[in-house]
Each structure stands twice: as structure tokens, then as C-alpha cells.
């Protein structure tokens, strides 16, 4: 959430950066009008309080003299009533302002490209060599069905479309990837967590999923809880409404969780296979750092996510998202896109983002520097390390063999009880 004072003092800059994202429906004139109203109410309340204090002093003096203070006490009571009314008005105005602020996206970083959509994203780097096949590579759904390691039809039967059933060595490979990713990141100093998969409304507000993206979420109406769309949500909010010490930072955390997304508006996109599912597994990386460190921490976060694909020896590229494609809460985002030879395209497998103080303001996460009393908002970052299902399908497509089998990457074999290949039965 943006700071109201910053918006008012830098209104043209905020308008420019918001419009660059394609958000043209924010009523900035209303924000300015409400802020003036808010400040006027505060000034009036202060005036009444000063008047009340002066009159109260007079009452004490008059009583000592034995004089009648009934009229003047009635005046104090009437001032109290006015203050209570104004306090209620202030509460309503501030609630209206907050409702607007919660729907304004983060300010984009000055280093990201300006553009309309994914076609305007900019290539940042590439890694690995695409394999030369001596046969026509198949898409992962054909490979998975032939090997009998994913049952798409029964997944739909159990739930609905965009749900899948992993089985046998498919389930084992998915679990192997989760353990492999967690082991790599915890060795780098990330604290492994196992958070709740259901969270409350305020937790969703803290990371920016609510109120704007309600339709994307699965909600348990009876308990007023939401299934998490990513571990970013509970992990970032661990320190909500707390004040950290400077010595505690940087904080690095990682968590495996299933993720749940309604994928509203994605009809017709990636209908087949495992690319766009309502339920999928992901290992998430979250950082809470001092503001002056967040730019460098984003580069390190990106490298930590990249290393997984490098160890698996799967080619990928990294793009810097443009203003029109970046997420609501992010100030800067790198997408890692893995090469899928069966589909002949790249697909996003991780987004690594710097949110600056946008999420920490919403979640009320603060820190205090050593030797000072002043509190500040830290910067938060997160990235997928990685989306497990998409890593699974990337292995199927990149390691497929002419006879229909799939070679297991060497670094995963100890997690697969030494299995080196998944063969046709």
C-alpha cells in the first residue's frame, strides 16, 4: 500500500507510474478531496479540544471561588458531543481513503521497461543449450500418459478440470523435486517453514491478494478463510503487526506448499497438461530486508531460483517484466522461463519480485535500527524456487527419449531411490 502523504506530495509521479501499469481508473481527485476533508476534521477536533481544555481550567478556578459552573459545564459536554461526531466522521473518511489505497498498485521501479503486455518484456539473460532431438519431441501430457505417471482424466473426475492425479513414479518424482529444492535453499541459509494452507482475510490483504483479486481465490465461506494461492501469503505475514530489530535482518525463509488458484479469466489458455492448474505444488523463497539492500537481494534471489534449473541442466531465459505485465504488488519482477521442447516455447517457472515497502505497509511489518527509536518499513521480496509441477513437466520434455522413456536428472536420483529412468511398462 502506498503512503497517503507520499501520494499527496507526489501526485503527478504516482499518476504517471500508475497509468504506466494500465491502471487508469484510480480517482486521484477523490483521494485529494478526501485527504483535505480528513485534515480539516483533524484541525477542527484539535480546535475543540483546546477550547475544552481552556474551559475546564476555568471551571476549576470558578469552583474554588464558589461560583456556579453549570452553564460552563454544559458547554464542555456539548463540545464533547461535537468531538465524538467528528471522530466518527474521521473514522469514516479514513476508511474510505484506505479502501481506495488498497486498490492502487505499487509504484514501478525506475529500472523496469515501460510497455503494455508480455510482448514488451525485455530479455535479461539466457542459460543452457537447447537439446538437439533426432526425433519429434512430445508434449509432456503425452509423455506422462504413456508412462502412466499422471492421470488427467481421473483428476477431473475427482474434482473438475485443471486438477490432476499424480501416480507411481510421477508422485515420487514430484516429491523428489520438492525435497531437492528445499535442501538446496536451506543449505544457503533459508529457514524452512511449514505454514497453514488456509489464511484469514487480513493475511490476504497484507500481501495484496485482497481486495482486488477476490475472484482468483478459493474461499471457505463458512469459516471465512482462503486457500493460499502461494506460500508468499502466510510466510510474508508471519511478522505482521510486529517490530523487528535491525539485527534480525535479513530474514530468509522458504516453504513448500500446495497452491490453489481459480485461474479466473484463463479459459482456453494452457487447457491441456500441467501448466495451468487449480492446485499445484511450489517451493517459495521469501526475504525481509533493509530498504537499502533490496535491489541487491533481488539479484541474489534470482540466482537462488536459477540454480535449481542449472543443477537440473534445463535451459531457460530470464526476462524483466514491463510496466504493463508486472504484478499488482511488485515494484520490479524477473520471470524465469523454462524451455519446453515438446511445446516449442518458453513458459514461466518462477517470478522473483521486489515489493519494496508495499507489502510491509499493508501487513504493518516494521523494524527499528540499532540505537534509534524511529521505526521503518522493511522491504519484502519473494520468488518461486521453483514451481514444482512446471519443473516436473520440464524434465519430461527435456529428458524424454526416442523409446518413450524419461531419464532422471542425476541430482535427483538419490531422491528417487537410485532410479535413473522412467520406462514404458
Amino acid at each position: 500500500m502506498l503512503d497517503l502523504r507520499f501520494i499527496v506530495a507526489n501526485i503527478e509521479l504516482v499518476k504517471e507510474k500508475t497509468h504506466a501499469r494500465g491502471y487508469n481508473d484510480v480517482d486521484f481527485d477523490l483521494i485529494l478531496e478526501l485527504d483535505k476533508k480528513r485534515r480539516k476534521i483533524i484541525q477542527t477536533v484539535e480546535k475543540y479540544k483546546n477550547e475544552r481544555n481552556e474551559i475546564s481550567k476555568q471551571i476549576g478556578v470558578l469552583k474554588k471561588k464558589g461560583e456556579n459552573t453549570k452553564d460552563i459545564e454544559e458547554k464542555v459536554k456539548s463540545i464533547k458531543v461535537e468531538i465524538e461526531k467528528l471522530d466518527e466522521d474521521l473514522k469514516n473518511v479514513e476508511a474510505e481513503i484506505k479502501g481506495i489505497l488498497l486498490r492502487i498498485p505499487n509504484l514501478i521501479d525506475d529500472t523496469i521497461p515501460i510497455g503494455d503486455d508480455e510482448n514488451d518484456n525485455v530479455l535479461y539473460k539466457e542459460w543452457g543449450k537447447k537439446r538437439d532431438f533426432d526425433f519429434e519431441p512430445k508434449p509432456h501430457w503425452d509423455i506422462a500418459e504413456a508412462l502412466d505417471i499422471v492421470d488427467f482424466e481421473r483428476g477431473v473426475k475427482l474434482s473438475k478440470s485443471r486438477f490432476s492425479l499424480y501416480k507411481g513414479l510421477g508422485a515420487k518424482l514430484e516429491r523428489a523435486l520438492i525435497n531437492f529444492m528445499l535442501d538446496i535453499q536451506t543449505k544457503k541459509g533459508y529457514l524452512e517453514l511449514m505454514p497453514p494452507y488456509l489464511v484469514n482475510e487480513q493475511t490476504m490483504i497484507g500481501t495484496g491478494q485482497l481486495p482486488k483479486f477476490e475472484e482468483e481465490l478459493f474461499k471457505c465461506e463458512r469459516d471465512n478463510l482462503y486457500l493460499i494461492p502461494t506460500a508468499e501469503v502466510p510466510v510474508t505475514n508471519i511478522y505482521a503487526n510486529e517490530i523487528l530489530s535491525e539485527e534480525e535482518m535479513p530474514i530468509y525463509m522458504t516453504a513448500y506448499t500446495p497452491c490453489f488458484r481459480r485461474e479466473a479469466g484463463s479459459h482456453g489458455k494452457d487447457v491441456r497438461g500441467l501448466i495451468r492448474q487449480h492446485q499445484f505444488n511450489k517451493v517459495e523463497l521469501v526475504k525481509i530486508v533493509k530498504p537499502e539492500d533490496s535491489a541487491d537481494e533481488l539479484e541474489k534471489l534470482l540466482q537462488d531460483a536459477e540454480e535449481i534449473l542449472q543443477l537440473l541442466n534445463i535451459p531457460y531465459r530470464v526476462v524483466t517484466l514491463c510496466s504493463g505485465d508486472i504484478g499488482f504488488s511488485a515494484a520490479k519482477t524477473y520471470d524465469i522461463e523454462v524451455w519446453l521442447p515438446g511445446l516449442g516455447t518458453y513458459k514461466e517457472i518462477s517470478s522473483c519480485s521486489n515489493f519494496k515497502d508495499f507489502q510491509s505497509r499493508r501487513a504493518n511489518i516494521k523494524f527499528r535500527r540499532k540505537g534509534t527509536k524511529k521505526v521503518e518499513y522493511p522491504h519484502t521480496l519473494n520468488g518461486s524456487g521453483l514451481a514444482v509441477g512446471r519443473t516436473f513437466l520440464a524434465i519430461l520434455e527435456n529428458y524424454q527419449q526416442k523409446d518413450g522413456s524419461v531419464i532422471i536428472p542425476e541430482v535427483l536420483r538419490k531422491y528417487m531411490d537410485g532410479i535413473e529412468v522412467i520406462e514404458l511398462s
Side-chain angles (χ1 to χ4, degrees), residues 123-389:
L123 180 66
Y124 185 55
K125 66 172 82 170
E126 292 182 277
W127 187 92
K129 182 181 178 181
K130 296 176 183 176
R131 176 181 162 194
D132 291 324
F133 288 84
D134 60 358
F135 61 94
E136 186 69 27
K138 296 178 180 179
H140 66 275
W141 53 80
D142 285 345
I143 301 168
E145 287 178 332
L147 293 173
D148 197 26
I149 57 175
V150 180
D151 193 326
F152 296 104
E153 290 186 6
R154 288 194 173 102
V156 173
K157 181 179 73 173
L158 291 170
S159 302
K160 64 176 184 177
S161 63
R162 300 187 189 273
F163 285 90
S164 299
L165 172 67
Y166 289 77
K167 54 191 293 191
L169 291 180
K172 195 176 190 72
L173 176 57
E174 182 88 353
R175 178 161 53 88
L177 282 167
I178 294 167
N179 290 332
F180 166 65
M181 292 175 186
L182 288 172
D183 283 353
I184 294 298
Q185 304 304 347
T186 53
K187 287 175 183 176
K188 294 178 182 177
Y190 287 86
L191 174 67
E192 183 178 349
L193 302 169
M194 191 170 286
Y197 303 157
L198 285 160
V199 296
N200 58 40
E201 181 179 53
Q202 181 52 49
T203 299
M204 284 290 190
I205 289 172
T207 41
Q209 279 71 29
L210 288 177
K212 186 170 179 59
F213 301 105
E214 173 91 31
E215 66 172 12
E216 294 287 343
L217 305 172
F218 283 105
K219 184 177 182 180
C220 300
E221 298 286 350
R222 185 168 65 179
D223 301 293
N224 197 29
L225 293 172
Y226 295 84
L227 284 163
I228 60 170
T230 166
E232 164 202 347
V233 176
V235 175
T236 303
N237 278 279
I238 288 172
Y239 296 101
N241 300 312
E242 295 186 24
I243 300 176
L244 301 164
S245 66
E246 183 179 12
E247 292 82 355
E248 291 179 86
M249 294 189 293
I251 296 173
Y252 297 166
M253 299 171 284
T254 185
Y256 151 71
T257 66
C259 305
F260 305 88
R261 299 182 186 178
R262 292 187 62 240
E263 293 292 349
S266 67
H267 304 293
K269 296 179 181 178
D270 302 316
V271 174
R272 298 194 65 183
L274 299 168
I275 290 175
R276 197 177 295 272
Q277 297 275 281
H278 288 308
Q279 176 186 321
F280 59 94
N281 296 313
K282 187 153 66 77
V283 171
E284 193 76 2
L285 308 174
V286 175
K287 293 184 176 185
I288 301 177
V289 306
K290 290 186 288 186
E292 63 267 27
D293 298 332
S294 67
D296 288 338
E297 290 286 1
L298 177 60
E299 300 298 325
K300 294 176 185 176
L301 179 68
L302 176 63
Q303 292 169 12
D304 291 340
E306 286 182 80
E307 186 178 354
I308 300 297
L309 289 175
Q310 292 173 4
L311 291 170
L312 293 170
N313 197 26
I314 299 176
Y316 65 88
R317 69 185 184 189
V318 178
V319 297
T320 306
L321 297 194
C322 73
S323 60
D325 195 36
I326 194 170
F328 175 83
S329 299
K332 183 174 184 177
T333 298
Y334 294 120
D335 267 9
I336 303 175
E337 299 178 342
V338 69
W339 173 246
L340 301 177
L343 298 181
T345 189
Y346 287 94
K347 286 291 182 181
E348 181 237 318
I349 200 168
S350 172
S351 284
C352 296
S353 300
N354 184 356
F355 302 94
K356 297 192 177 178
D357 62 358
F358 188 79
Q359 291 182 329
S360 59
R361 285 182 182 277
R362 295 171 76 102
N364 194 32
I365 304 169
K366 297 177 181 177
F367 81 101
R368 182 179 287 112
R369 294 184 190 271
K370 187 176 181 181
T372 66
K373 292 183 178 181
K374 181 183 177 182
V375 293
E376 302 174 46
Y377 291 100
H379 285 190
T380 64
L381 304 93
N382 74 54
S384 304
L386 302 163
V388 182

